[in-house]
Amino acid sequence: MSVTLKDVAQAARVSVSTASRALTGTGLTSERTQQRLVRIARELGYRPNPIARGLKTGQSRLVALLVHNLTNASFQVMAEVVQARLKALGYQMLLCIGGDDPQAESDTLTTLVDHRIDGLIVVPTGKNGAQLETLSKDVPIVCLVRRDDATDLETVLADDPQGAYLGTRHLIELGHKRIGLIVGRQDTTSGRERLSGYVRALREAGISRDDALIHAGHYVPETGATCARKLLDLARPPSAIFVANHEATLGVLRVTAERNIAIPDDLSLLCYEDMPWFEWHRPAISIVDNGARDLANLAVDRLLHRMDAKGNSKGNGSDGVREYRVGARLIQRDSCRRIDVPAPAKSSKSKSSSSKSSAAKSAKV
Amino acid sequence: MSVTLKDVAQAARVSVSTASRALTGTGLTSERTQQRLVRIARELGYRPNPIARGLKTGQSRLVALLVHNLTNASFQVMAEVVQARLKALGYQMLLCIGGDDPQAESDTLTTLVDHRIDGLIVVPTGKNGAQLETLSKDVPIVCLVRRDDATDLETVLADDPQGAYLGTRHLIELGHKRIGLIVGRQDTTSGRERLSGYVRALREAGISRDDALIHAGHYVPETGATCARKLLDLARPPSAIFVANHEATLGVLRVTAERNIAIPDDLSLLCYEDMPWFEWHRPAISIVDNGARDLANLAVDRLLHRMDAKGNSKGNGSDGVREYRVGARLIQRDSCRRIDVPAPAKSSKSKSSSSKSSAAKSAKV
DNA sequence: AAGCTCTATGCAAACGTTTGCATAAATGGC
DNA sequence: GCCATTTATGCAAACGTTTGCATAGAGCTT
């Protein structure tokens, strides 16, 4: 059907081996025949069959990216980045959607290695550590966004503690003292880390933590709405809300709209992770950018490094680093506002104590 | 490294051929050996090597989906649907992002057939018709969402004329007479078709077409904003805007927010294609759903049909139908409002003018 | 000019399957 | 109990590459 190496060899009156060597550019063939074969191959429209090649070499020029879904904006840009990078290097990306389901993840993983993928970037569910660990002996693997604690795999993570710290500090600098936090479940790393960043910023500013202001739940709009209601129903509601996830933000926005709460006049809103429409929303929503683009790029870098190392069989490509953290950064738009600072009181102490007492009071709510 | 068919055969003391036949279930082997081999294979953890198999059979169990991007919500759900369907059948989806760029599309296509994909669902750019046509001789292809006029390929399309008609009629039924349309470029099929549906609904209602109300442009937020401004700046601005694309909707929303135009009180807004946050937005945005889910499912159906036909070499699987249209449907939420019908006035004219003047007023803000 | 090293080529095996053909064993009809 | 049929198995070729080994010249060194 399609033109094979044999055809090229015949046309050039050389053996298949020479043809192969000439076209793969091993340098084991004379300049002349090399060029001649390249020319003939082009004329005949020869395209090497990756399957046959794969059978012999054990490689497929396929690299898989396994993410939870495609609705998450971060995963979208990651997929696009990974695809672009890989394509430039002659790899095809195999994009798989695991739905954050351990069973699906496990199935997909076996199918992928069956297909002899050359590398894998995976956002692990965290439930298939053993399998991942085993597979990593055959194929280079880099974990992305989440760490699977059961493994020693190289992992590229967002710097959630820092991001949450950055966001919270920003709100504090704007004068906010009562900052609501809607955060992910505490059995996830990101949930815990974002909370910790928030807490650290508060502590640093001498603001005592008020658990009534902290709500944890799934990363879905419903959670955002529920938590927002709880926060706004407080006797002393927060002047700012930090939503540690973009899905939950949807719920918060709905509630504020329903209650006619103006952002940022009545309430400042800061969100973790970007969505394309955030900057088109009025007010444009300020965010802490988790650096999805950088994360993806770094993951690809590390994977390529490992793949390369494997090819040259110089170790497993580990550079001794197990974990990479990609910095988050604050993107200020229009959803956070400086809070009115009353005329400077005479005693700086009274001010701070007042702020503290108010915090203490609110803790009772 | 991994356990091969030969290993299984040896363990069972049969030849590789028998092993192969037993495990692929050809029925050419005795019940007993069949079961015995299946058992042994499982015990040994045998997994057939799809590459070796592919070399022999010319199949890869890989099906590609080539879309423009992943930011478009429709493409997201399509990708998820296709992946789910294929996975259930033991295929791996190869998701590729072409960026609506003819060159990238062309490159990707050749890579894909090099990899001997078993089938392809593609959203064509429309510039590689010849190539697609050629490839379709080797591999079953179904076009999705867009038709490539240079080809005769089976194509699954949204029923844009009907969708636009449905949406426009809805607005008309709510009493709107001046309906702005922000639509795609007229050199795209969808742009033309959506316009035609709009025009048909107007004509049917006896409303004469006003070209000042119709704006065409790229499917990006900027376009939406620009067009919205033009519409609202009209001496007699529309009482409703039908945005024939979700990206453009972002721009429209920004403008209405900037100008303090209340939706749906001052202006009704209807959008083509859904986005996850539309129902969380306040007001929740009414849409014409293009049926992305149905489109994807139908495309998969058709592709499987063709693949099947090819396998059994009973023709090319064409059932004589070249084009499938998947119906659109209206999803009413809260962004469209019945226009005030004052107590049946003697002159219906005064009514429409009053509502219009209010819109005109807000447009000046 | 003999011996040597290089360089360029070819032969053939291998990668892990599937499959046509041949054959051996089992079955059945008489 | 013999031939014809069916059923189960094995052998070996094939799919399109890559690659170790062998070899034939070509070019140097003496």
Side-chain angles (χ1 to χ4, degrees):
Chain A
M1 181 156 72
S2 60
V3 33
T4 118
L5 195 53
K6 200 162 133 195
D7 301 331
V8 179
Q10 257 160 13
R13 317 202 146 277
V14 295
S15 72
V16 235
S17 356
T18 328
S20 170
R21 285 190 269 251
L23 295 179
T24 45
T26 49
L28 291 171
T29 132
S30 81
E31 192 78 1
R32 244 171 55 81
T33 36
Q34 149 107 350
Q35 293 181 350
R36 197 162 62 94
L37 275 160
V38 170
R39 205 196 65 232
I40 297 187
R42 188 173 37 230
E43 284 172 6
L44 261 50
Y46 168 71
R47 311 230 77 223
N49 180 336
I51 305 213
R53 177 177 288 173
L55 181 56
K56 186 72 214 203
T57 62
Q59 321 218 297
S60 58
R61 309 243 48 150
L62 252 35
V63 169
L65 172 64
L66 176 51
V67 298
H68 294 337
N69 59 59
L70 255 33
T71 21
N72 187 310
S74 299
F75 290 152
Q76 285 166 32
V77 331
M78 289 180 190
E80 300 200 349
V81 168
V82 172
Q83 141 109 4
R85 292 280 312 271
L86 290 179
K87 200 184 152 192
L89 292 159
Y91 289 95
Q92 262 297 317
M93 175 182 73
L94 214 46
L95 179 53
C96 302
I97 306 167
D100 203 359
D101 168 25
Q103 184 58 49
E105 174 178 55
S106 175
D107 291 350
T108 309
L109 286 175
T110 47
T111 319
L112 288 177
V113 295
D114 280 354
H115 277 282
R116 300 296 188 274
I117 50 169
D118 291 347
L120 169 66
I121 299 180
V122 56
V123 181
T125 63
K127 308 286 184 185
N128 290 307
Q131 189 183 11
L132 278 172
E133 192 76 38
T134 312
L135 296 184
S136 74
K137 298 201 173 74
D138 288 345
V139 44
I141 300 185
V142 170
C143 290
L144 186 57
V145 174
R146 278 206 210 165
R147 148 164 296 294
D148 188 321
D149 289 313
T151 74
D152 259 339
L153 297 172
E154 195 165 310
T155 305
V156 175
L157 294 172
D159 197 339
D160 279 351
Q162 180 229 5
Y165 169 79
L166 233 52
T168 313
R169 201 183 61 184
H170 174 59
L171 291 171
I172 294 174
E173 282 168 354
L174 289 177
H176 294 277
K177 302 252 186 304
R178 293 184 57 74
I179 301 172
L181 178 71
I182 299 177
V183 71
R185 296 197 333 269
Q186 289 302 297
D187 58 345
T188 67
T189 316
S190 73
R192 281 194 304 270
E193 291 189 345
R194 292 180 191 180
L195 175 58
S196 80
Y198 165 89
V199 170
R200 179 159 75 89
L202 288 188
R203 194 175 43 233
E204 225 178 81
I207 303 178
S208 65
R209 166 179 172 168
D210 178 351
D211 282 335
L213 292 176
I214 300 174
H215 288 279
H218 283 280
Y219 282 154
V220 290
E222 286 74 12
T223 301
T226 320
C227 297
R229 288 204 187 89
K230 284 192 194 142
L231 285 172
L232 295 170
D233 285 343
L234 288 178
R236 299 187 55 233
S239 62
I241 294 185
F242 188 6
V243 192
N245 167 264
H246 57 210
E247 292 282 336
T249 304
L250 288 173
V252 178
L253 283 176
R254 167 184 266 192
V255 170
T256 55
E258 279 171 1
R259 300 195 175 189
N260 260 318
I261 297 177
I263 297 173
D265 294 338
D266 302 337
L267 179 75
S268 288
L269 184 67
L270 182 64
C271 174
Y272 212 106
E273 300 177 62
D274 207 357
M275 295 210 82
W277 54 275
F278 276 179
E279 54 177 326
W280 287 94
H281 188 267
R282 282 291 98 135
I285 297 174
S286 298
I287 60 149
V288 173
D289 179 18
N290 66 348
R293 198 152 229 107
D294 298 338
L295 281 164
N297 268 311
L298 183 53
V300 174
D301 288 343
R302 295 308 309 164
L303 185 69
L304 290 174
H305 182 99
R306 288 191 104 93
M307 285 167 57
D308 191 43
K310 192 189 172 197
N312 306 332
S313 60
K314 43 176 169 187
N316 65 355
S318 160
D319 288 346
V321 189
R322 232 183 95 223
E323 189 170 300
Y324 292 82
R325 288 277 180 173
V326 171
R329 68 188 218 285
L330 183 73
I331 300 186
Q332 296 188 36
R333 298 205 267 245
D334 313 318
S335 65
C336 298
R337 131 173 192 285
R338 175 165 299 284
I339 229 176
D340 304 292
V341 188
K346 25 185 157 187
S347 136
S348 73
K349 201 171 176 197
S350 80
K351 170 184 88 192
S352 82
S353 78
S354 85
S355 89
K356 238 170 252 151
S357 73
S358 80
K361 209 169 82 189
S362 63
K364 280 181 213 126
V365 178
Chain B
M1 182 156 73
S2 58
V3 34
T4 119
L5 194 53
K6 199 161 132 195
D7 301 332
V8 179
Q10 257 160 15
R13 315 201 150 277
V14 295
S15 73
V16 238
S17 356
T18 331
S20 170
R21 285 189 268 253
L23 295 179
T24 45
T26 49
L28 291 171
T29 132
S30 80
E31 192 76 2
R32 244 171 55 80
T33 36
Q34 149 107 348
Q35 293 182 350
R36 196 161 62 93
L37 275 161
V38 169
R39 206 196 65 232
I40 297 187
R42 188 173 36 231
E43 284 171 7
L44 261 51
Y46 167 73
R47 312 229 75 223
N49 180 336
I51 305 213
R53 176 178 289 174
L55 181 56
K56 186 71 213 200
T57 61
Q59 319 219 297
S60 58
R61 310 243 47 149
L62 252 34
V63 169
L65 173 64
L66 175 51
V67 298
H68 295 337
N69 59 58
L70 255 35
T71 20
N72 187 310
S74 300
F75 290 152
Q76 287 166 30
V77 331
M78 290 180 191
E80 300 200 348
V81 168
V82 172
Q83 141 110 8
R85 292 280 311 270
L86 290 179
K87 202 185 150 193
L89 292 159
Y91 289 95
Q92 262 296 318
M93 175 180 74
L94 213 48
L95 180 53
C96 302
I97 306 167
D100 203 1
D101 167 26
Q103 185 58 50
E105 174 179 55
S106 174
D107 292 350
T108 309
L109 287 176
T110 47
T111 320
L112 289 176
V113 295
D114 281 354
H115 277 282
R116 301 296 188 275
I117 49 168
D118 291 346
L120 169 66
I121 299 180
V122 55
V123 182
T125 63
K127 309 284 185 186
N128 290 307
Q131 189 182 9
L132 279 172
E133 193 74 38
T134 312
L135 297 184
S136 74
K137 299 203 172 72
D138 287 346
V139 43
I141 300 185
V142 170
C143 290
L144 186 56
V145 174
R146 277 205 209 166
R147 148 164 296 293
D148 188 321
D149 289 315
T151 73
D152 258 339
L153 296 172
E154 196 165 309
T155 305
V156 175
L157 295 172
D159 197 339
D160 280 351
Q162 181 231 4
Y165 169 80
L166 232 54
T168 312
R169 202 184 61 184
H170 174 58
L171 290 171
I172 295 173
E173 282 168 353
L174 289 177
H176 295 276
K177 301 249 185 308
R178 291 184 60 74
I179 301 172
L181 177 71
I182 299 178
V183 70
R185 296 198 334 270
Q186 288 302 298
D187 57 345
T188 66
T189 315
S190 72
R192 281 194 303 270
E193 291 189 347
R194 293 180 191 179
L195 175 58
S196 79
Y198 165 88
V199 171
R200 179 159 73 91
L202 288 188
R203 194 174 43 232
E204 224 178 80
I207 303 178
S208 64
R209 166 179 173 171
D210 179 351
D211 281 335
L213 292 176
I214 300 174
H215 288 278
H218 283 278
Y219 283 154
V220 291
E222 286 75 11
T223 301
T226 319
C227 296
R229 287 204 189 88
K230 284 191 193 143
L231 285 172
L232 295 170
D233 285 343
L234 287 177
R236 298 183 56 228
S239 61
I241 295 184
F242 187 7
V243 192
N245 167 264
H246 58 208
E247 294 281 336
T249 304
L250 288 173
V252 177
L253 284 175
R254 168 183 266 191
V255 171
T256 55
E258 278 172 1
R259 301 193 175 190
N260 262 317
I261 297 176
I263 296 174
D265 294 338
D266 301 338
L267 180 75
S268 289
L269 185 67
L270 181 63
C271 173
Y272 212 105
E273 301 176 60
D274 207 358
M275 294 209 80
W277 55 274
F278 276 179
E279 55 177 325
W280 287 93
H281 187 269
R282 283 292 97 133
I285 298 174
S286 299
I287 60 150
V288 172
D289 179 17
N290 66 348
R293 196 152 232 107
D294 298 338
L295 281 164
N297 268 311
L298 183 52
V300 174
D301 288 342
R302 294 309 307 163
L303 185 69
L304 291 174
H305 182 99
R306 288 190 103 93
M307 285 166 57
D308 191 43
K310 191 189 171 196
N312 306 332
S313 60
K314 45 174 169 187
N316 64 355
S318 160
D319 289 345
V321 189
R322 233 183 95 223
E323 189 170 301
Y324 292 82
R325 289 278 180 170
V326 171
R329 69 189 217 285
L330 183 74
I331 300 186
Q332 297 189 35
R333 298 205 266 245
D334 314 319
S335 64
C336 298
R337 134 174 189 282
R338 175 166 298 284
I339 233 175
D340 303 293
V341 189
K346 16 186 157 185
S347 138
S348 68
K349 202 165 179 199
S350 78
K351 160 192 93 187
S352 76
S353 78
S354 86
S355 88
K356 242 165 249 151
S357 73
S358 82
K361 206 168 81 188
S362 59
K364 279 182 214 126
V365 179

